[in-house]
Amino acid sequence: MSAVWDFADFDDHEHVHMFRDRASGLTAVIAVHSTHLGPGAGGVRYWHYPQRAAAITDALRLSRGMSYKNAMAGLPMGGGKGVILADEGAAKTPEQLAAFGRAVESLGGAYVTAEDVGMSDADMVAISQHTRHVSGLPVASGEAGGDPGPLTALGVYLGIKAAIKEGLGTESAKGVRIAIQGVGSVGGGVARRLAADGAKLTLADVNLARAKALAEELGAELADSAAIMEIEADVLSPNALGAILSERSIEKLRVPIVAGGANNQLATAGDGQRIHDRGIVYAPDYVINAGGIINVALEYLGQGSREEVESRIAKIPGRLAEIWAESRASSTPASVVADRMAQKLIGRG
């Protein structure tokens, strides 16, 4: 395996830690990209990687995305990410969660963890028994914090509405054809909000039973999880795993708008240019999906109520509009415009 500095996605990360706890079987990576604005904050995911190097790549990419996301959301937090490597078909154990909590604590507050793919708020409670540096814990009604999924969904929904205005020139989602890839906590929440607005939905998920149940609930169409990338619609909303916008998939897109909550949607930096060259309105993922981190960051900082969280999330459409305006004015891809804004905010402009 190459040294971590030689990975293509290494971007002057401040910390990259590999953890192995023999007793519990924990194998994990924690990457901290930047602490320029504050401690590196970002969720931990539990995922099976056929090749372990892919887990390091994921941690590097995702932690950089969190630096940009937190900066663009106006939060006094840097960017970090945790990855717990799952054995194929194996469930995580209390012992592994405890070991991960100890790993987070060993970093002395450089990394603040929270819930991500494959994790739950109950897992966060278990981890919190072993570290102070965790957020996304159950909270009283009306307070910031708790499950970040519904608030990520709120921000993505508002961002899609902004993208519809930018790309289609209408304020309403009624009758707009929207293809949603991934209908878990975030995608499902987005789908329900858009259905209430009268949008015409097509849903897909690797968990076919989940997609089918939601389609029946909302009166939506159902599609294969891969085929939905090529469906003819007004909006494609990726809300599953990342790197789905590649040279090949971009060529086959049949939508004028791509806006969704998945992290790291662009497979490579050059794919932002490809989206731009096709005239597709693209919502940079770390801008549109910031609702969850706004929620858990304010919880960790002890600075806000649910009302304050929602007030900050309501600013997401304005940030996107600013990015699109600069993209038009400078003939620069929206992804590049957003990256430049974020890099300046974290002292790397």
Side-chain angles (χ1 to χ4, degrees), residues 23-179:
S24 68
L26 174 78
T27 303
V29 183
I30 295 176
V32 176
H33 178 254
S34 170
T35 57
H36 181 78
L37 295 175
V44 55
R45 61 178 46 186
Y46 182 82
W47 195 254
H48 172 65
Y49 296 88
Q51 297 178 331
R52 291 189 172 192
I56 299 173
T57 294
D58 225 11
L60 293 173
R61 286 172 58 90
L62 291 165
S63 59
R64 179 179 57 211
M66 291 307 303
S67 285
Y68 292 1
K69 180 185 299 189
N70 292 335
M72 292 293 279
L75 296 170
M77 309 290 279
K81 205 72 179 184
V83 173
I84 298 175
L85 286 75
D87 291 332
E88 189 169 11
K92 55 185 174 292
T93 66
E95 293 77 15
Q96 288 174 330
L97 295 174
F100 184 76
R102 293 192 296 270
V104 172
E105 185 65 20
S106 74
L107 300 182
Y111 170 61
V112 179
T113 195
E115 181 182 338
D116 196 11
V117 176
M119 302 293 283
S120 68
D121 53 356
D123 295 332
M124 294 301 106
V125 172
I127 289 170
S128 74
Q129 304 306 306
H130 303 274
T131 182
R132 298 162 291 165
H133 308 296
V134 58
S135 194
L137 303 173
V139 294
S141 177
E143 295 183 2
D147 180 4
L151 289 158
T152 302
L154 173 60
V156 173
Y157 161 74
L158 294 174
I160 290 173
K161 294 285 290 290
I164 290 170
K165 181 179 179 181
E166 174 73 16
L168 303 181
T170 178
E171 300 273 358
S172 174
K174 186 174 183 180
V176 176
R177 301 168 300 163
I178 303 176

Side-chain angles (χ1 to χ4, degrees), residues 145-233:
D147 180 4
L151 289 158
T152 302
L154 173 60
V156 173
Y157 161 74
L158 294 174
I160 290 173
K161 294 285 290 290
I164 290 170
K165 181 179 179 181
E166 174 73 16
L168 303 181
T170 178
E171 300 273 358
S172 174
K174 186 174 183 180
V176 176
R177 301 168 300 163
I178 303 176
I180 300 178
Q181 182 190 51
V183 292
S185 176
V186 174
V190 171
R192 288 185 174 92
R193 288 180 178 274
L194 290 169
D197 285 350
K200 296 180 178 179
L201 304 181
T202 301
L203 310 180
D205 197 287
V206 291
N207 184 333
L208 182 59
R210 178 166 63 187
K212 184 177 180 180
L214 187 60
E216 290 175 352
E217 173 191 333
L218 302 180
E221 298 292 322
L222 197 61
D224 175 79
S225 188
I228 200 166
M229 293 289 296
E230 300 176 25
I231 198 169
E232 184 176 1

